[in-house]
Amino acid sequence: MNIVRKIGWTGLILIVSTVIAMAADPIKVGAIVSTTGAASFLGEPQLKTFRMEVERLNSAGGLLGRPLELVAYDDGSEAAKANTFAKRLIDDDKVDVLIAGTTTGASMAIIPLVEKAQIPYISLAGGISIVEPVKKWVFKTAHTDRMAVAKVFEDIKKRHLSSVALLSDTSGFGQSGRKAALALAPQSGIEIVTDETYGPKDTDVTTQLTKIRGSNAQALFVFGFGEGASIVTKNVAQLGITLPHYESHGIASREYIQLSGAASEGVRFPAAAVVVADQLPESDPQKAVVTDYAARYKARYKEDVSTFGGHVYDALQIWTKAVERAQSTDHAKVRDEIEKTKNYVGTGGVVNMSSKDHLGLDSTAFRMLKVSSGTWSLAD
């Protein structure tokens, strides 16, 4: 009875419940992220968040009285590998959910497999084609390229500019963003005066930027991610281009500033509130969530959060809440509950899904930020 005196009956019950939960068959979470390759600085914080959050959930007793088991693979930023690993997770590992696809290309490669297997899938990538048209088993937490384009164009117009040079990478993400920009420009009163592309692995983009420098563009809008976006930013500075410089939400990781150095100063881009958690007013509905996640992540990994890790946090939260409501890991029941997600306040915004919307975010999910003195700040 000494242990009861020391921790009390409540503490003893909690310990026993946790032990029983950990002895049950695990609920398997399948993850595919890009921890190497061109998208590695998006994928690394995603894997770190997976580990941190699964451990946190297990320390609290797991889910439905069962522990969570993370089964994760690195696709090396290659869509073909993402497809291979998705097949392994479904057929061999027998996972209960897939939360995967750092890039749009990887996510699109996974979709046919999850649709055939009829297993809930939450993508972590930005391409709007992932959820439009709506696919029964496919959801996502990352803001879309169309939302990013709309936010950038809104800011450009606010600054009384109208002619834009568009430079997009040739990845699925970049080309989806390019398509959105070309479609939204006329509606926004924007003229795309030059339309150039570059490869995500290109080490020099000065040829395209020289053409842009010779155009009558009033602003530069780069749509890409990873190291490629940093190379473009450095090339812009090397060529002495002084146009207002916009990037997509694909750069919302501290590594972009580290790789770009002083060349990133003044760059404007749309991003989720999580990267400026400490700058949000106390009245902001996301303040408590993003501050808690950011603080725990920094305490554990000694680095700042990125929006990409936040996508994992939101995906896990949305899925676990759906499982709890369903009181089951049955694929169809969980899928239905994910689709019913309402008023979930996460790192990416306030999510309200429906049968016609498997993202559930609106334009308020993005904040316009800028790089100032080597860090992020809310743009004026």
Side-chain angles (χ1 to χ4, degrees):
M1 297 297 290
N2 287 337
I3 189 171
V4 175
R5 294 193 191 98
K6 289 181 179 179
I7 65 174
W9 284 109
T10 301
L12 182 60
I13 291 170
L14 178 60
I15 291 173
V16 172
S17 298
T18 301
V19 169
I20 292 172
M22 294 304 104
D25 290 337
I27 298 173
K28 294 185 177 181
V29 178
I32 305 168
V33 290
S34 303
T35 55
T36 58
S40 61
F41 77 63
L42 285 66
E44 287 177 358
Q46 291 177 338
L47 182 59
K48 289 175 179 177
T49 300
F50 266 121
R51 289 171 173 165
M52 181 177 78
E53 292 305 304
V54 168
E55 287 177 13
R56 183 171 71 95
L57 288 164
N58 280 336
S59 68
L63 185 60
L64 302 184
R66 296 164 60 189
L68 295 178
E69 179 184 338
L70 177 65
V71 186
Y73 296 108
D74 168 29
D75 64 18
S77 305
E78 296 180 22
K81 288 184 178 179
N83 177 279
T84 298
F85 287 131
K87 184 173 176 58
R88 182 184 299 178
L89 286 167
I90 294 168
D91 295 342
D92 300 335
D93 298 315
K94 307 295 183 183
V95 298
D96 296 287
V97 64
L98 261 75
I99 300 176
T102 298
T103 66
T104 298
S107 295
M108 295 303 291
I110 292 169
I111 287 174
L113 298 176
V114 297
E115 288 283 280
K116 181 179 179 180
Q118 299 187 347
I119 182 172
Y121 170 43
I122 304 178
S123 165
L124 306 171
I128 197 167
S129 56
I130 297 166
V131 289
E132 287 191 16
V134 170
K135 304 163 187 68
K136 181 175 181 179
W137 295 90
V138 182
F139 303 85
K140 81 187 202 77
T141 52
H143 310 79
T144 69
D145 35 38
R146 187 167 64 194
M147 291 168 62
V149 170
K151 194 72 174 181
V152 166
F153 283 173
E154 177 186 309
D155 195 70
I156 287 174
K157 292 298 291 183
K158 186 176 72 174
R159 301 173 78 186
H160 306 292
L161 306 173
S162 60
S163 58
V164 173
L166 179 63
L167 177 60
S168 49
D169 76 25
T170 55
S171 70
F173 173 73
Q175 289 309 289
S176 184
R178 174 181 176 271
K179 182 179 179 181
L182 294 174
L184 289 177
Q187 304 171 29
S188 306
I190 299 288
E191 180 185 6
I192 304 295
V193 296
T194 181
D195 177 16
E196 299 288 335
T197 62
Y198 69 96
K201 297 181 181 180
D202 287 354
T203 58
D204 185 89
V205 195
T206 54
T207 298
Q208 298 93 315
L209 288 170
T210 298
K211 292 179 184 178
I212 289 171
R213 186 175 60 179
S215 73
N216 63 340
Q218 296 173 314
L220 168 64
F221 183 17
V222 181
F223 212 102
F225 69 92
E227 188 174 355
S230 295
I231 288 171
V232 171
T233 299
K234 288 188 287 188
N235 284 170
V236 166
Q238 290 161 1
L239 290 173
I241 296 174
T242 58
L243 297 172
H245 181 170
Y246 288 86
E247 292 276 345
S248 76
H249 53 315
I251 68 160
S253 174
R254 185 67 60 181
E255 284 80 354
Y256 167 76
I257 296 178
Q258 294 171 346
L259 291 172
S260 303
S264 64
E265 189 72 11
V267 169
R268 298 167 81 93
F269 66 103
V274 66
V275 296
V276 285
D278 59 335
Q279 299 177 42
L280 298 178
E282 293 300 324
S283 59
D284 192 296
Q286 288 182 261
K287 177 74 172 183
V289 172
V290 296
T291 300
D292 173 70
Y293 166 63
R296 289 189 295 104
Y297 186 95
K298 190 167 187 176
R300 173 158 179 170
Y301 296 113
K302 313 306 179 187
E303 62 187 36
D304 292 329
V305 294
S306 73
T307 59
F308 311 106
H311 299 331
V312 170
Y313 174 88
D314 290 341
L316 281 169
Q317 286 290 311
I318 289 170
W319 171 70
T320 56
K321 291 177 186 299
V323 171
E324 288 170 348
R325 291 195 299 271
Q327 282 297 293
S328 170
T329 57
D330 177 83
H331 293 174
K333 291 179 180 179
V334 173
R335 189 221 75 88
D336 290 349
E337 290 300 329
I338 292 174
E339 192 174 80
K340 294 176 185 175
T341 297
K342 299 295 180 187
N343 298 315
Y344 163 70
V345 181
T347 71
V350 180
V351 177
N352 288 286
M353 292 189 185
S354 71
S355 61
K356 297 180 179 179
D357 184 357
H358 281 193
L359 169 63
L361 293 172
D362 61 24
S363 59
T364 62
F366 265 141
R367 317 298 169 102
M368 183 57 68
L369 308 184
K370 66 179 178 180
V371 181
S372 179
S373 300
T375 191
W376 314 127
S377 66
L378 291 165
D380 44 24

